[in-house]
């Protein structure tokens, strides 16, 4: 395979054989970085891929007042968030910036983010996120192209109109430090949800049912730090497996 003048040329006709290391899944790393805002101790995520969305998330963490930096292939996040307003230019670059509103709201009692960008694959509204936050007691206010959430969070029963991965992740994080018990029904079941719940439990959360359509979260007073290896990227693993299979390799 060669790349010339913006084109990729692939000369086929031979099997693909060998071993490939599958990196951590970006779609798991991003919510894990957001969840690091919830705890009082340092968090270490191991073997994280250096991608633009990951760098953007580090910018959001720093904008919230935390220290976030690379140590080799690991990312270390430490410090109490002190700024409830995410940097607009950075947040607008990435749709996953919406995931930072739950931990900021849970820790500081307020979160203000611009309406998220970074997605060019059609309509992906954040109404399920805001519906769930409202059920948990948050006040939602739109102004100047952004959304502000404020208030003390308390447990609730939340039914998602569709099993949104992002909304499930956001509500999972918000409910972790809410008063009382929260039940999320019609929750997303993706492996990234399971990874996030396991990470939160490793930091002291009380979450059960992740990976099923009903997740129950018992709110706790605080979370502690942890070291965590995110799950591998199933999409990349599937791509490698398909490439091997269709070329008759091993």
């Amino acid at each position: 395979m060669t790349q010339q003048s913006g084109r990729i040329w692939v000369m086929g006709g031979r099997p693909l054989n060998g071993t490939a290391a599958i990196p951590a899944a970006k779609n798991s790393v991003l919510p894990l970085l957001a969840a690091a805002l919830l705890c009082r101790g340092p968090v270490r995520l191991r073997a994280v891929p250096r991608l633009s969305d990951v760098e953007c998330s580090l910018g959001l963490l720093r904008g919230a007042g935390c220290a976030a930096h690379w140590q080799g292939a690991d990312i270390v996040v430490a410090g109490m968030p002190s700024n409830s307003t995410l940097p607009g230019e950075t947040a607008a670059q990435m749709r996953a910036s919406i995931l930072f509103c739950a931990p900021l709201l849970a820790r500081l009692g307020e979160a203000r983010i611009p309406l998220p960008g970074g997605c060019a694959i059609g309509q992906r509204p954040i109404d399920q996120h805001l519906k769930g936050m409202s059920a948990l007691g948050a006040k939602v206010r739109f102004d100047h192209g952004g959304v502000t959430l404020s208030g003390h969070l308390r447990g609730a029963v939340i039914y998602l109109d569709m099993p949104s991965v992002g909304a499930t992740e956001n509500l999972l994080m918000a409910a972790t430090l809410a008063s009382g018990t929260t039940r999320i029904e019609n929750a997303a079941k993706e492996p990234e949800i399971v990874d996030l719940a396991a990470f939160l439990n490793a930091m002291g959360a009380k979450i059960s049912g992740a990976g099923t359509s009903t997740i129950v979260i018992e709110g706790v007073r605080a979370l502690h730090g942890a070291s965590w290896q995110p799950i591998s990227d199933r999409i990349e693993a599937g791509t490698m497996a398909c490439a091997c299979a269709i070329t008759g390799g091993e």
Side-chain angles (χ1 to χ4, degrees), residues 37-61:
L37 288 168
L38 290 167
C39 68
R40 294 181 175 177
V43 166
R44 177 181 293 270
L45 298 185
R46 303 192 299 271
V48 176
R50 288 182 179 261
L51 304 173
S52 59
D53 280 358
V54 174
E55 294 290 353
C56 185
S57 293
L58 296 184
L60 294 177
L61 288 167

Side-chain angles (χ1 to χ4, degrees), residues 33-224:
L33 287 173
L37 288 168
L38 290 167
C39 68
R40 294 181 175 177
V43 166
R44 177 181 293 270
L45 298 185
R46 303 192 299 271
V48 176
R50 288 182 179 261
L51 304 173
S52 59
D53 280 358
V54 174
E55 294 290 353
C56 185
S57 293
L58 296 184
L60 294 177
L61 288 167
R62 295 176 188 126
C66 295
H69 60 274
W70 291 93
Q71 285 188 357
D74 296 355
I75 289 177
V76 177
V77 182
M80 168 76 178
S82 57
N83 182 13
S84 61
T85 300
L86 290 177
E89 184 176 343
T90 303
Q93 296 174 16
M94 182 181 66
R95 181 173 177 78
S97 61
I98 188 66
L99 297 175
F100 286 76
C101 74
L104 287 177
L105 177 60
R107 290 300 302 277
L108 301 177
E110 182 177 89
R112 187 183 190 283
I113 63 169
L115 295 178
C119 180
I121 61 173
Q123 291 295 320
R124 301 173 72 188
I126 60 171
D127 58 313
Q128 295 302 297
H129 299 252
L130 301 181
K131 171 188 172 183
M133 294 294 182
S134 295
L136 290 172
K139 297 179 181 179
V140 180
R141 184 176 74 256
F142 291 93
D143 58 87
H144 306 297
V147 58
T148 299
L149 298 95
S150 60
H152 175 73
L153 300 179
R154 59 183 183 276
V157 176
I158 303 168
Y159 181 85
L160 295 177
D161 297 335
M162 59 175 293
S164 162
V165 174
T168 300
E169 291 168 340
N170 231 342
L171 298 175
L172 192 58
M173 290 187 282
T176 297
L177 296 182
S179 302
T181 300
T182 297
R183 183 183 179 94
I184 305 174
E185 298 180 348
N186 198 29
K189 305 175 185 179
E190 275 76 357
E192 291 80 10
I193 301 293
V194 179
D195 198 32
L196 175 60
F199 174 59
L200 291 168
N201 282 340
M203 296 193 296
K206 296 181 179 180
I207 301 168
S208 61
T212 74
S213 60
T214 301
I215 303 176
V216 177
I217 308 101
E218 296 180 39
V220 297
R221 292 180 61 86
L223 298 180
H224 55 75

